[in-house]
Amino acid sequence: MKTDVLIAVLSWEDRFLIGLKNNMDVYNPSKVILFYYNNIKTELWKADHLFKAKELLKENLTLINLELKPELNWVVYRSVFETHCIGKNILVDISTMPRESIWVTLFNCKKYKCPTHFIYYKPQNYPSWISRDPDRPRLLYKMSGIAKLGTPTLLVITAGYDIQRLDNLIFNFEPKQTILFFQHTSDARNKANFDECKLLCKEKYNITMLYEYDAYDVELASNSIINKLQSIEPGTNSSYLENYNVILNSLGSKTSAITLFELWLKYPEMALSYIPSKEYNRDYSKGVSKVVFDKVDLDI
């Protein structure tokens, strides 16, 4: 695959540097756009990887600073794409990207007609906790859907390991209905975590629409979600898609963010939402196990 531009977000995680080296060896991009979030809480954690990235990439590196304010970053992304990416073949390494960054990147890939692939380096393991102290959820600029007045809210979540963020998300949006998709797994720790999430959802919010899916198969995952949304809601003669304002949120594997973006392209009346956290675990992940690579379908 010909790659003109690689886009990634600087991180302290092992898989950032492992992935960067592999991406350079395998895909040989002529330019690397590395976004760097100015966050005092993680600045020292990222310093060594920033130094090594500069050494590895040299003149191929374009380093772009971002603030923790999405309204400022939107203008930065647009400028970067207008300068470096129009019509280029793009590879997006989503491994250490915040989901909001993934969606804004893909939005601009479509806008500036960039054939786009993504790559995801799954870590070997996760720690006991990933993030804490979730902030209020927000809808994404230009991806916030078209709300039908007087229509109730349906929240569709690809759930992950972070129970606090899941709880905060449901609490803040107060949806009439919630549909949860959990990654199918045979791992004992993951199953125990999912069972805890399911228990919370059933006992606290009376959520009964809980399903398993394959987060690493974007097309299959998208079809699973669409099938549920297009099914007839009991007690009515119409589908969930027709009966609700639908808000999408990804808390599972980063690959589920690709699924939800392609889903939003098909149904732009739905909204994409993001819930940031205020605290992260420095030992967020270790190593790399599975690698997922695929094309992003922007021609929907």
Side-chain angles (χ1 to χ4, degrees):
M1 186 199 84
K2 180 181 184 298
T3 301
D4 299 313
V5 181
L6 168 67
I7 299 177
V9 170
L10 179 69
S11 171
W12 63 90
E13 295 179 66
D14 294 345
R15 55 182 172 161
F16 164 74
L17 204 58
I18 294 170
L20 183 62
K21 291 175 180 176
N22 185 71
N23 292 338
M24 296 306 295
D25 290 340
V26 175
Y27 302 105
N28 192 30
S30 55
K31 184 183 293 292
V32 177
I33 295 173
L34 185 59
F35 288 108
Y36 177 100
Y37 276 91
N38 293 318
N39 187 344
I40 193 170
K41 295 180 181 179
T42 60
E43 186 174 350
L44 291 177
W45 301 357
K46 297 181 290 192
D48 182 58
H49 280 182
L50 177 59
F51 175 78
K52 290 178 179 176
K54 288 179 176 178
E55 277 195 326
L56 174 67
L57 302 174
K58 296 183 172 58
E59 68 278 0
N60 291 335
L61 174 63
T62 299
L63 186 65
I64 306 294
N65 288 338
L66 295 174
E67 303 297 331
L68 299 178
K69 296 181 178 180
E71 67 274 13
L72 299 178
N73 293 337
W74 183 269
V75 178
V76 175
Y77 272 93
R78 184 179 63 191
S79 176
V80 166
F81 270 80
E82 287 177 348
T83 304
H84 302 287
C85 301
I86 296 176
K88 302 292 186 181
N89 288 288
I90 305 291
L91 175 63
V92 184
D93 188 337
I94 66 172
S95 307
T96 58
M97 272 191 170
R99 290 164 180 83
E100 189 169 49
S101 298
I102 294 173
W103 290 330
V104 176
T105 296
L106 296 181
F107 181 94
N108 282 286
C109 285
K110 180 173 178 63
K111 179 178 179 179
Y112 293 103
K113 304 185 186 310
C114 306
T116 303
H117 287 73
F118 77 90
I119 193 164
Y120 174 69
Y121 294 89
K122 182 183 178 183
Q124 287 180 331
N125 57 68
Y126 290 100
S128 57
W129 66 277
I130 296 173
S131 62
R132 289 194 291 226
D133 194 14
D135 208 339
R136 288 179 61 86
R138 57 180 180 249
L139 300 183
L140 268 74
Y141 180 58
K142 289 189 178 293
M143 290 171 268
S144 58
I146 303 170
K148 295 170 283 189
L149 294 178
T151 303
T153 298
L154 167 65
L155 191 56
V156 177
I157 307 170
T158 53
Y161 306 110
D162 196 331
I163 297 175
Q164 282 190 359
R165 289 174 88 185
L166 176 62
D167 189 16
N168 194 354
L169 184 67
I170 299 170
F171 175 81
N172 276 281
F173 278 124
E174 297 183 308
K176 183 178 179 182
Q177 287 281 6
T178 300
I179 303 177
L180 282 167
F181 289 87
F182 290 94
Q183 166 66 26
H184 176 73
T185 181
S186 57
D187 179 82
R189 176 182 174 274
N190 293 347
K191 286 182 72 68
N193 189 283
F194 291 155
D195 288 342
E196 187 177 353
C197 286
K198 292 172 185 176
L199 188 63
L200 166 75
C201 293
K202 288 180 179 179
E203 291 187 348
K204 187 172 182 178
Y205 297 108
N206 195 30
I207 296 171
T208 58
M209 300 179 71
L210 307 168
Y211 306 101
E212 290 190 348
Y213 80 121
D214 184 354
Y216 302 110
D217 187 326
V218 170
E219 183 177 0
L220 184 61
S222 179
N223 289 337
S224 297
I225 297 172
I226 289 173
N227 286 340
K228 295 301 178 185
L229 289 174
Q230 290 182 335
S231 63
I232 300 300
E233 182 181 14
T236 76
N237 295 317
S238 48
S239 69
Y240 290 96
L241 196 57
E242 295 169 301
N243 293 342
Y244 292 91
N245 290 319
V246 180
I247 298 176
L248 308 171
N249 192 281
S250 165
L251 294 178
S253 164
K254 295 287 179 68
T255 53
S256 70
I258 305 294
T259 295
L260 295 189
F261 184 80
E262 292 188 359
L263 192 60
W264 173 78
L265 286 178
K266 291 179 181 177
Y267 301 98
E269 66 272 21
M270 298 193 295
L272 288 172
S273 67
Y274 175 68
I275 181 166
S277 290
K278 300 175 186 175
E279 182 182 359
Y280 290 92
N281 189 343
R282 183 169 186 173
D283 298 320
Y284 184 91
S285 70
K286 297 294 182 184
V288 167
S289 58
K290 183 176 182 178
V291 180
V292 183
F293 173 87
D294 205 351
K295 182 180 180 180
V296 183
D297 189 358
L298 298 176
D299 298 323
I300 296 172

